[in-house]
Amino acid sequence: MRVMGAAVLMTAVGSIAMAQTTPPPAPSTAAGSMQQAFESATELTDKGNWADALAAWEALEKRPRASARTLAIIRIRKSVALRNLGRFDEAAEAARLGLAALPANDPTLIQDRFVGETQRGAIAYRTLDYVTAADALAKAAAIAPSDADKASTLLSLVTVQTFVDPVAADASLARLKELTAKMALKPAETGNLLIAETELRLNQGRFKDAVKVGQASVNAFGGLSSSNIDLNDAVARSNTAIAMLLAGDPESARRFLAYSGAGQSTQEFRRGFEMPVPFCGAEDGLKPEDLAVVEFSIGEDGNIVSARPVYAVGGAAAGLAFARGAREWSFDPAKLKTLPPFFRKKVRVELRCSTAFPHPSLTGVLDNELSRWLQDNGAPDAERLTTLARRSRDLARLADLERQGTKAGAPLVATLASLADNPGTPREDAHRYAEQALALLDPAAPPVARLSLATRTLETAQVDRRSAAQYRAGLEALLESPVYRDDPRARAAIRLLIADRLSRKQNDEAARFLEPIAQDTALPATDAFKVGALIRLAAVQARQGQREAARRSFEMSGLDAQQCAVVDAAPKLLGNAKEFPEEAHRWGFEGWTINELDIGADGLVPQARSIVSYPPFVFTTAGIDTVKSARFTTSYRPSGGVGCRAQRMAVNFSLIN
């Protein structure tokens, strides 16, 4: 059996080849028929026959009198099949149960433990939970059964740590280089190692180093003169081009980008059906100046199969937030039929957040309510610390409280809640901390404070809460609970959280959850949840074409109602001075941008910003210049202010008129 290790993570940037190893045999105490069934299930797994393999492992799992050790091995193997079938929550649970039951002091089970941890890492990577992926891969690297397995695991670890803890990624990279210096790597394997290093240097802001390493990665794949280009080769060329652009060498960058395939096939690759970008603020805390380059793969049905961040400005979390947003995109499959499969696998775009509708963080409001109540009841005041420093402090506090025999009280709940909310805490640990904190919270705590922990347990219960039906079901169950249903602010918060998980096409359903909040007389007009509901309702009504209703909702929020989507008479485009960038024309690039612009009452555009650009960094400035040159009809505004804000305008750059 080929070990199902870290290489499964590296579909994005390749891997170092893994050694062929023999799977652990079935326990010697197993009956002959069970031994045969175990071997049959292993063979199905080796062949990648995932549905039949899953059925075989589940049949073995149901066998009576199987020892805890045997059951643990079966569950880890079962998680492999579940992951490959896309059943990530079940796969994560099977791996967790298997790892928990493996005897820690049995050296014959090291390979099974390695497989279990790499499965955890693969699942977390696919669902963009890089913190959990880093935790699992670090554990896997420590017990890897061979140098090849360790090298592949460390390579994957560097990739995820780049967006979790770049300092730790540097340490992992050093270990990887030391290990591979003693190995005979193939050129492509060297290239994949250098790809990971290039992306790390990019995200550390070491652009000149990234150029140097990037060029070495391209050379490892045969250089620019090579016409036998594969997906990893294209990634190496694209990374190097991005590094050159950021290092201030645009001419060299254009050359490398041209040889990456970016900017080609643009006639087929047009903007998608649905391309929402995250709102600035909101749950991810994105700022207008944050940006990311995100790489994604488009399936045959037009939906996004997978996405990953490549480069981000605004902190590691920003890259993951933009990648999560891109996973919700969809394209017209009919228009993609002529697009080469090669191209669909490695599309890259430059992204920024939208300022169209202000979206303050809902969970931030809930967390502040909890923190305030805990501090009023004896918990220490919150300190401004980095994510890693806060986690280290909280783990030390928790250990001290446990030594003191503390089993309740605000200080303990505050420590558990802080660990549960920390972005650096692996998901399973965060779930456990949230459950413990909720169980220990004083019943006298306000419902909104309690809701902070209740929603955190739901968010961390599944590997991918953003697409989990269980998350919505859990919220709806909370809404039926008298504790929250009878409190105006708590029920409003739950309805808002449900509405935010609906797609942009589910407007009627979103309105069903938002309107009761907007109409709730028990909530003051200035309440954060009522304001949030009115803003969201205005966006829903604007999508439904109910412009007057949208304008009223926005005005009731107390915010500036001059968003272009809701004004009663949006300015009309008269024309613009669109020019094709000469440098892009020279290299035969095509592309497009989606921009947000403010329109003045005089019809001019005082401000514009790009929110989506393809290819990254090529047309961003030209797109902004184009929309800023646009002229719109004038608008009368009593305040003398802008005609409207955050109007969306797309610009296509095509070599064919």
Side-chain angles (χ1 to χ4, degrees), residues 4 79 159 215 334 542 568:
M4 306 306 295
S79 74
T159 298
Q215 288 176 313
D568 50 0

Side-chain angles (χ1 to χ4, degrees), residues 123-146:
I123 295 162
Y125 173 83
R126 182 63 179 272
T127 56
L128 295 170
D129 179 5
Y130 279 20
V131 170
T132 296
D135 175 72
L137 290 169
K139 292 174 179 175
I143 58 171
S146 71

Side-chain angles (χ1 to χ4, degrees), residues 151-329:
S152 186
T153 307
L154 285 171
L155 178 59
S156 298
L157 183 59
V158 171
T159 298
V160 296
Q161 284 179 330
T162 293
F163 291 94
V164 172
D165 184 354
V167 175
D170 253 335
S172 297
L173 179 63
R175 291 167 59 200
L176 176 59
K177 286 184 173 181
E178 182 180 2
L179 177 63
T180 54
K182 301 177 291 185
M183 300 171 63
L185 298 183
K186 297 176 182 178
E189 293 168 346
T190 299
N192 288 329
L193 189 157
L194 293 170
I195 283 174
E197 183 176 0
T198 305
E199 293 181 2
L200 173 60
R201 300 300 174 232
L202 278 173
N203 286 282
Q204 291 174 327
R206 296 168 55 178
F207 301 136
K208 291 183 178 179
D209 290 339
V211 170
K212 182 179 178 180
V213 179
Q215 288 176 313
S217 71
V218 173
N219 291 335
F221 288 110
L224 288 182
S225 61
S226 173
S227 59
N228 185 25
I229 180 173
D230 65 10
L231 291 174
N232 293 326
D233 199 345
V235 167
R237 296 176 183 193
S238 175
N239 285 348
T240 306
I242 291 172
M244 288 172 168
L245 278 169
L246 296 172
D249 185 4
E251 194 60 35
S252 296
R254 305 294 181 198
R255 181 165 172 257
F256 273 78
L257 198 60
Y259 281 99
S260 76
Q264 310 301 315
S265 300
T266 312
Q267 291 299 313
E268 295 88 350
F269 179 58
R270 294 297 187 185
R271 297 182 303 279
F273 282 148
E274 289 286 332
M275 298 185 72
V277 296
F279 285 107
C280 299
E283 307 311 317
D284 295 309
L286 293 171
K287 300 180 291 296
E289 60 269 24
D290 294 343
L291 70 87
V293 174
V294 171
E295 177 184 283
F296 57 90
S297 174
I298 310 173
E300 295 290 339
D301 60 358
N303 292 317
I304 302 303
V305 176
S306 61
R308 75 175 185 104
V310 174
Y311 167 69
V313 172
L320 293 168
F322 283 114
R324 283 191 290 266
R327 284 197 315 171
E328 299 180 12
W329 292 3

